[in-house]
Amino acid sequence: MSRILAICLGTLIAAIPLSLQAGVYQCTVNGKVTFSDIPCTGDAKPMDLRIYTPPAEAVAEASKQTQAIEKDLATSQKQRQLEVLRAEAEAKTLKMNNEITRYNEQLTGTTSSQADGAGEKRSAAEIQAMTRRHQSEMEALNKQISTLQQKK
């Protein structure tokens, strides 16, 4: 029994290198060159393929470089997000300041009735509501900015 087992194992081990060598054949069919893993015609030429396997050090170095690039990319993306959020906060602050200036001008009577768009003067309650809305928008933006800054 062990003799049969040894013969089977020996045959199996001998067959493994043959099965691992995937042959590539170059064939010419109707004037076109094709490549196949089986001979297509009688004139098929087996090709000797040499596959380069880099040393482990080169693979490790490439992996480190890839990680550094990914880290730089993530940092750049966060930086762009911060810039966009800061620009948005600045625009909202400018808009709020313009609205307050128009309201103050209306109170003092220094602008025409067309300056407000609808020609109506805003009440103090409207200004307070606008201010609260602006503050909540700014708080949300500042929270996003601080969250991004903490992830660095």
Side-chain angles (χ1 to χ4, degrees), residues 28-93:
T28 306
V29 179
N30 296 332
K32 290 185 177 181
V33 176
T34 60
F35 298 93
S36 177
D37 59 344
I38 56 172
C40 7
T41 61
D43 67 340
K45 299 176 195 169
M47 298 190 67
D48 184 26
L49 298 179
R50 292 190 176 96
I51 300 172
Y52 172 73
T53 304
E57 297 83 26
V59 173
E61 181 62 30
S63 178
K64 287 179 186 177
Q65 289 176 348
T66 301
Q67 289 173 353
I69 290 170
E70 289 173 348
K71 183 179 177 182
D72 289 345
L73 178 63
T75 301
S76 296
Q77 288 173 338
K78 287 178 190 175
Q79 193 63 33
R80 283 192 298 275
Q81 288 174 337
L82 281 171
E83 290 171 5
V84 167
L85 288 173
R86 287 181 179 136
E88 186 178 342
E90 189 176 321
K92 286 183 184 282
T93 299

